[in-house]
Amino acid sequence: MANPLYDTLFGRHAGSDAPFLHLPDGGQISYAGFLAMAARIAGHLSALGLKPGDRLAAQVAKSPEALALYAACAQTGVVFLPLNTAYTPTEVTYFLENSGASLVICDGAGREALGPIAAGLGAQVATLNADGSGSLMEGAADHSETFPTAERGADDLAALLYTSGTTGRSKGAMLSQRNLLSNAQVLKDEWRFTSDDVLLHCLPIFHTHGLFVATNVTLAAGGAMIFLPKFDVDAVLHHLPQATTMMGVPTFYTRLLDDARFDGPATQHMRLFTSGSAPLLAETHDRFSARTGHAILERYGMTETNMNTSNPYEGDRRAGTVGFPLPGVELKVCDPANGQELPQGEVGQLEVRGENVFQGYWQMPEKTAEELREDGFFITGDLGLIDERGYVQIVGRGKDLIISGGYNIYPKEIELVLDEQAGVLESAVIGVPHPDFGETVVGVLVPEAGQTPDADAIMAAAGEALARFKHPRKLIVLDELPRNTMGKVQKNILRERYGDLFTGE
Ligand code: MCA
Ligand code: AMP
């Protein structure tokens, strides 16, 4: 095959009038229409001088055109680098610098801030607004609805997805065509996706969950998606009757359960709800079953690995577990101290190997070597065990990470900002339980002697530097941080002390 990713997911639908995207306004886009849009964009990218292997960074609202941009990258062999729309210009600057992106696509409003930054880095800029307007589609309109697909191999890079790190520096996870394709095919089979499926898509498309898990699986099956701009309870309830499947983060399901209209009859025609990106409380799983009769299928993945495990489609979907390793994925529970595999039932660090596992971090060979073993096993940083029935349970994290509403937040990144503020000697950022987001961010500050840090000024500085979802929802001032005898901050003590700030238990 000339270009496995494009040919398998997109090209094989050429000429198909079957629906691909159902839009909230009642319109729809067929596979043929979507491929034509993608080919025009591909023509434009090529005219702008982009070549296979070049990086294209996109910080754009979810829209059919934004999804077609992904297809256009596959067709031209350009490496797709999607960015969370919540990222500030400061955050985006780092991604552009680090990736060496040659084209940045942002919305019209973002151009003022990003234009000069991109220009300074030698990157071109194009705009794409939520309604599909902007210079990208204007340029695309001049091109043909067919494009000669670039020759690429399964080991060539398809996407670069940035994931924060415990050092506070984001790393670009290099995902090859094979990484994406193998996972899409396995999930399609495991979850029984067919061309009859209609997926209710309300996830963002700048992360693995909404872009690869949801979209690639639908494409691999030739199904359709109801493509909503974002998660919204009313919109979900409105469109649910036309859907057969839905994928979500736990916050989606707790918000739906908080609405009495979400009940058995509203979901009776659905065949599958899946959950991931953050732990689904067993209590949510049970409440969902009691209310609707559906057992949510929980699975576990990472940006670096795509999906690793899944509860079974047929068989017991056990609350509080993430199921079994997927076909083709090897999973070990290891002693974090020496990497030795532990006996069944013991808690250790999860390591995974398979075609799903990424190629390493972009231009960070040392980071890659720290997390990706020579034998191909990737050290996830998640702590878990394999129970007596073979189900994997995630019981904690070896890495200092907060997951809020499915978004990952690395405390170090916030601590670096807090530590810089006037009057702050040091800080510790922790995650505490939150009824809506699962976890939320709390900043603990120690003032410099005789100083009183200005909370408003600190939050303003956080607003400049960090995306809104990373902002501390509460700042606490302490005389000193609890430390162990080695001098290490004991975040567990802080988490215990402030654990009920938002849950009131
Ligand atoms: C929005 N806000 C958030 C979050 N989202 N704050 C903390 N955590 C969040 N996740 C901010 C908003 O900016 C707003 O700020 C305030 O919180 C309330 O906004 P709200 O309207 O309630 O939020 P929303 O727009 O409804 O968004 C919540 C959401 C969304 C629907 C849960 O965050 C979401 O779609 N999450 C999915 C994330 C996801 O796809 N993760 C997959 C990563 P203000 O105070 O200014 O109003 S991929 C992954 O993890 C791996 C590979 C995997 O296994 O899948
Ligand atoms: P990301 O870096 O955004 O790819 O997030 C990956 C992390 O999300 C994993 O390392 C886990 O800590 C967490 N995660 C994903 N799915 C689940 C799940 N079903 N249960 C618990 N944690 C999960």
Side-chain angles (χ1 to χ4, degrees):
M1 243 183 228
N3 181 326
L5 185 71
Y6 182 81
D7 297 344
T8 312
L9 295 186
F10 302 102
R12 75 186 176 86
H13 301 295
S16 164
D17 288 328
F20 174 44
L21 300 179
H22 297 285
L23 306 176
D25 65 4
Q28 75 175 42
I29 298 176
S30 67
Y31 269 98
F34 181 78
L35 294 184
M37 190 192 290
R40 290 183 195 281
I41 300 175
H44 184 47
L45 297 183
S46 185
L48 290 175
L50 270 80
K51 297 179 299 305
D54 287 347
R55 276 79 58 213
L56 178 156
Q59 189 185 34
V60 292
K62 183 177 175 183
S63 68
E65 291 80 5
L67 196 64
L69 187 55
Y70 162 52
C73 285
Q75 194 166 20
T76 49
V78 166
V79 178
F80 188 48
L81 194 177
L83 293 168
N84 193 323
T85 46
Y87 290 148
T88 62
T90 310
E91 289 167 311
V92 174
T93 303
Y94 171 79
F95 299 126
L96 300 184
E97 270 169 5
N98 187 263
S99 66
S102 36
L103 175 64
V104 184
I105 303 186
C106 60
D107 66 16
R111 189 182 184 124
E112 202 181 322
L114 284 184
I117 296 167
L121 294 166
Q124 302 183 70
V125 182
T127 55
L128 174 62
N129 299 311
D131 62 2
S133 62
S135 69
L136 179 77
M137 299 314 289
E138 281 162 21
D142 294 337
H143 292 273
S144 157
E145 57 181 49
T146 57
F147 179 84
T149 303
E151 289 273 332
R152 297 298 270 168
D155 293 322
D156 284 324
L157 280 197
L160 193 57
L161 261 59
Y162 276 82
T163 151
S164 298
T166 41
T167 55
R169 241 182 115 208
S170 287
K171 303 164 285 185
M174 298 190 285
L175 294 155
S176 69
Q177 291 208 350
R178 190 194 311 281
N179 295 148
L180 303 184
L181 267 183
S182 63
N183 215 237
Q185 270 152 354
V186 163
L187 295 176
K188 167 181 106 48
D189 294 342
E190 287 295 295
W191 297 343
R192 313 286 192 269
F193 269 75
T194 72
S195 56
D196 292 334
D197 271 307
V198 180
L199 174 86
L200 188 53
H201 193 302
C202 28
L203 289 156
I205 54 167
F206 41 68
H207 283 315
T208 295
H209 198 164
L211 184 62
F212 300 140
V213 186
T215 305
N216 286 355
V217 166
T218 301
L219 287 163
M225 301 195 281
I226 300 172
F227 204 59
L228 303 183
K230 61 175 289 225
F231 176 83
D232 171 79
V233 169
D234 288 334
V236 167
L237 289 169
H238 178 74
H239 291 285
L240 209 50
Q242 282 77 48
T244 61
T245 55
M246 175 172 163
M247 297 182 185
V249 298
T251 300
F252 288 11
Y253 296 123
T254 51
R255 287 188 183 182
L256 284 170
L257 285 168
D258 284 343
D259 194 306
R261 293 172 295 169
F262 186 71
D263 58 9
T267 61
Q268 63 183 5
H269 57 285
M270 292 290 280
R271 71 168 187 86
L272 181 65
F273 290 93
T274 69
S275 178
S277 309
L280 182 76
L281 295 179
E283 187 237 329
T284 309
H285 187 282
D286 295 343
R287 273 212 298 152
F288 199 95
S289 294
R291 178 88 68 87
T292 67
H294 290 279
I296 297 177
L297 181 155
E298 187 172 6
R299 78 347 173 242
Y300 156 64
M302 290 184 74
T303 302
E304 288 92 332
T305 64
N306 295 284
M307 298 305 102
N308 294 311
T309 73
S310 170
N311 267 281
Y313 187 79
E314 275 141 26
D316 197 5
R317 297 177 196 162
R318 298 189 79 188
T321 81
V322 292
F324 307 108
L326 287 163
V329 179
E330 294 170 80
L331 181 143
K332 299 193 289 190
V333 179
C334 298
D335 185 336
N338 56 22
Q340 294 299 309
E341 190 165 359
L342 292 168
Q344 182 269 320
E346 284 191 24
V347 173
Q349 180 141 247
L350 302 181
E351 298 193 12
V352 293
R353 178 165 71 179
E355 288 195 331
N356 55 317
V357 173
F358 75 142
Q359 308 301 300
Y361 296 113
W362 176 258
Q363 292 181 342
M364 290 187 185
E366 311 81 32
K367 290 272 164 218
T368 303
E370 278 169 26
E371 295 179 37
L372 195 55
R373 294 189 189 281
E374 269 173 21
D375 63 5
F377 273 96
F378 174 66
I379 306 167
T380 63
D382 290 310
L383 302 177
L385 59 82
I386 300 178
D387 72 15
E388 69 296 343
R389 289 171 60 190
Y391 287 74
V392 178
Q393 287 179 26
I394 298 178
V395 300
R397 297 176 200 135
K399 52 194 171 190
D400 193 12
L401 164 69
I402 301 167
I403 306 183
S404 167
Y407 288 145
N408 283 12
I409 300 166
Y410 280 85
K412 186 75 191 171
E413 198 184 350
I414 305 166
E415 289 161 3
L416 290 173
V417 173
L418 297 181
D419 290 350
E420 272 178 11
Q421 304 311 310
V424 175
L425 178 66
E426 59 173 351
S427 66
V429 167
I430 53 167
V432 299
H434 188 276
D436 185 30
F437 290 130
E439 283 182 289
T440 197
V441 180
V442 170
V444 182
L445 304 175
V446 177
E448 278 170 355
Q451 302 279 317
T452 308
D454 176 347
D456 291 342
I458 291 174
M459 290 309 293
E464 281 290 307
L466 303 165
R468 172 80 186 109
F469 67 88
K470 300 177 188 171
H471 296 183
R473 295 295 154 128
K474 190 157 182 64
L475 287 177
I476 291 166
V477 178
L478 288 185
D479 289 341
E480 58 179 5
L481 297 173
R483 291 182 188 277
N484 65 15
T485 47
M486 308 289 287
K488 192 172 180 306
V489 177
Q490 291 173 300
K491 289 196 173 180
N492 53 327
I493 293 183
L494 294 173
R495 278 191 287 263
E496 247 168 59
R497 197 181 296 167
Y498 301 112
D500 61 0
L501 272 180
F502 295 90
T503 52
E505 280 157 23

